[in-house]
Amino acid sequence: MSEEPPAPSGPRTNFRVITVFAAFSIVALFIYLMVVAEAILLPFVIAVFVVILLDSLAIRLTKTSFFGRHLPTWAGMTISILVFIAGFIFLANLIRSNIADVTAALPGYEENIRSMLDNSLAFFGVRELPSVQELIKQIDVGKTLGRAVSAVAAITGNMMTVLFYIIFILLEQVTFGKKVKALFQKTDDRKRAQEMIEEITKDIQTYIGLKTFVSAITGIFSYGVMAAVGVDFAGFWAVLIFILNFIPYIGSLVGVAFPALLTLVQFDSLIPFVVTGTVLTSVQLAVGNLIEPRLMGRSLNLSPLVILLSLAIFGQIWGVVGMVLSMPFMVIAMIVCANFAATRPVAIILSASGDVNKRHPFL
């Protein structure tokens, strides 16, 4: 009985090794650029994220029938931009008004904190704690104000950079189709490239659009709960929960912890703390385990280890903003890699089940 000849391991094996090595090299290069070019890359990534949201909303608006008619593409994008501007103005006003409200509520919070600390530490014989005013006297006000002004200036500068990136990315979309036609001279190659780009764009917009919708549902329900309990700054906490919901695992926990802990300072009773913590946790579990899986299906097919590593890396380099952007970025990376035969192994490694759900990757 003759033995079967060994499988060929020549150029194909070498190609796979080179592909894997190139993938790891690209990842290492990107992480290096994240560190050294943060001022350039971070605003650009945020701008790309916003543009994807605008495109997703515009597509849904143009597909929706209004009085038997559909909006043209330019009208859908215009409405999306106006919604984004209105949301940005609302968020800025919300933050500004909450700063004033926090300043007005600080004396009451201070009294409750002091009462709690005095009752907790009296057993150990701790002397009277210093007041907030006494602590402020020990702070270098000039240096603190200087740092605050620098931080505000940096945030303002970044927002202006993001807005400029958004404008130019939107302008670039107008001529992108012509560039694809110029890159691929053959009709078949051009058709396959256009189909691949449309599929990638659709998958990315579907994920980010649905994730935004689910986060909005979580924020709205959370606002209703906090408003019913009477938690201060319920609108601000709802927006924070909406943003943190993009961070898997720890985002929902942090979003519940902040308003729940505030109730300990705001109220003299533990009942608001128990009600707020329990109901907000129930909302997070219901949305995360019931609503989100039904809407998103298998679109989030990332390995838990990959999720944790991306959170750690993006969080270490870009902070909380990086953690918020890590999940959309990893989903985009997996979708793009799954559409190319050369990078398909990378998508399989990133996925949770190994099934990247792509039938005809682009060669």
Side-chain angles (χ1 to χ4, degrees), residues 215-231:
S215 300
I217 291 177
T218 308
I220 292 172
F221 275 106
S222 299
Y223 174 79
V225 172
M226 292 183 289
V229 175
V231 180

Side-chain angles (χ1 to χ4, degrees), residues 37-45 161 165:
E38 176 182 351
I40 299 174
L41 279 181
L42 183 56
F44 179 76
V45 173
T161 305
Y165 276 136

Side-chain angles (χ1 to χ4, degrees), residues 11-222:
R12 187 173 184 83
T13 302
N14 293 335
F15 177 75
R16 289 182 177 179
V17 172
I18 293 173
T19 300
V20 174
F21 177 77
F24 280 106
S25 300
I26 292 173
V27 172
L29 176 62
F30 181 76
I31 293 176
Y32 174 76
L33 291 176
M34 286 176 63
V35 176
V36 300
E38 176 182 351
I40 299 174
L41 279 181
L42 183 56
F44 179 76
V45 173
I46 295 174
V48 171
F49 180 76
V50 173
V51 170
I52 293 175
L53 284 177
L54 293 176
D55 287 338
S56 179
L57 179 59
I59 290 174
R60 280 164 174 75
L61 288 174
T62 54
K63 289 183 177 180
T64 304
S65 177
F66 297 94
F67 304 103
R69 296 183 178 181
H70 294 275
L71 292 175
T73 303
W74 65 267
M77 179 56 69
T78 301
I79 295 175
S80 300
I81 294 175
L82 293 176
V83 170
F84 170 74
I85 294 174
F88 180 77
I89 294 174
F90 168 77
L91 183 60
N93 289 333
L94 182 65
I95 294 174
R96 180 178 56 82
S97 63
N98 274 273
I99 291 176
D101 293 339
V102 169
T103 303
L106 274 179
Y109 292 163
E110 178 193 356
E111 185 63 29
N112 291 339
I113 293 173
R114 286 182 55 82
S115 177
M116 291 173 56
L117 292 176
D118 288 340
N119 294 334
S120 301
L121 300 177
F123 177 79
F124 298 98
V126 178
R127 294 180 298 177
E128 184 179 357
L129 296 173
S131 64
V132 174
Q133 288 78 9
E134 293 173 348
L135 292 175
I136 291 176
K137 293 179 181 179
Q138 301 177 15
I139 299 175
D140 189 341
V141 178
K143 183 181 295 185
T144 303
L145 288 177
R147 292 177 179 175
V149 171
S150 299
V152 172
I155 294 173
T156 304
N158 285 335
M159 290 306 303
M160 293 301 299
T161 305
V162 169
L163 291 176
F164 276 115
Y165 276 136
I166 291 173
I167 293 172
F168 283 100
I169 291 174
L170 291 174
L171 293 175
E172 189 71 17
Q173 287 182 329
V174 178
T175 59
F176 185 74
K178 297 180 181 179
K179 293 180 179 180
V180 173
K181 292 181 180 179
L183 284 173
F184 298 93
Q185 300 297 328
K186 296 182 178 180
T187 304
D188 292 340
D189 291 342
R190 185 188 308 137
K191 183 179 179 181
R192 292 177 63 194
Q194 290 173 340
E195 290 177 352
M196 182 202 66
I197 293 172
E198 290 176 1
E199 185 176 6
I200 292 174
T201 304
K202 181 180 178 181
D203 288 344
I204 293 172
Q205 289 175 348
T206 299
Y207 167 75
I208 294 183
L210 289 178
K211 187 64 179 178
T212 303
F213 177 70
V214 170
S215 300
I217 291 177
T218 308
I220 292 172
F221 275 106
S222 299

Side-chain angles (χ1 to χ4, degrees), residues 298-309:
R298 296 175 56 85
S299 61
L300 184 59
N301 185 26
L302 285 174
S303 166
L305 179 60
V306 171
I307 293 175
L308 292 176
L309 286 176

Side-chain angles (χ1 to χ4, degrees), residues 246-269:
F246 283 91
I247 304 176
Y249 304 139
I250 62 174
S252 58
L253 296 177
V254 175
V256 171
F258 277 125
L261 291 176
L262 178 64
T263 59
L264 293 176
V265 179
Q266 180 183 348
F267 301 98
D268 296 330
S269 172

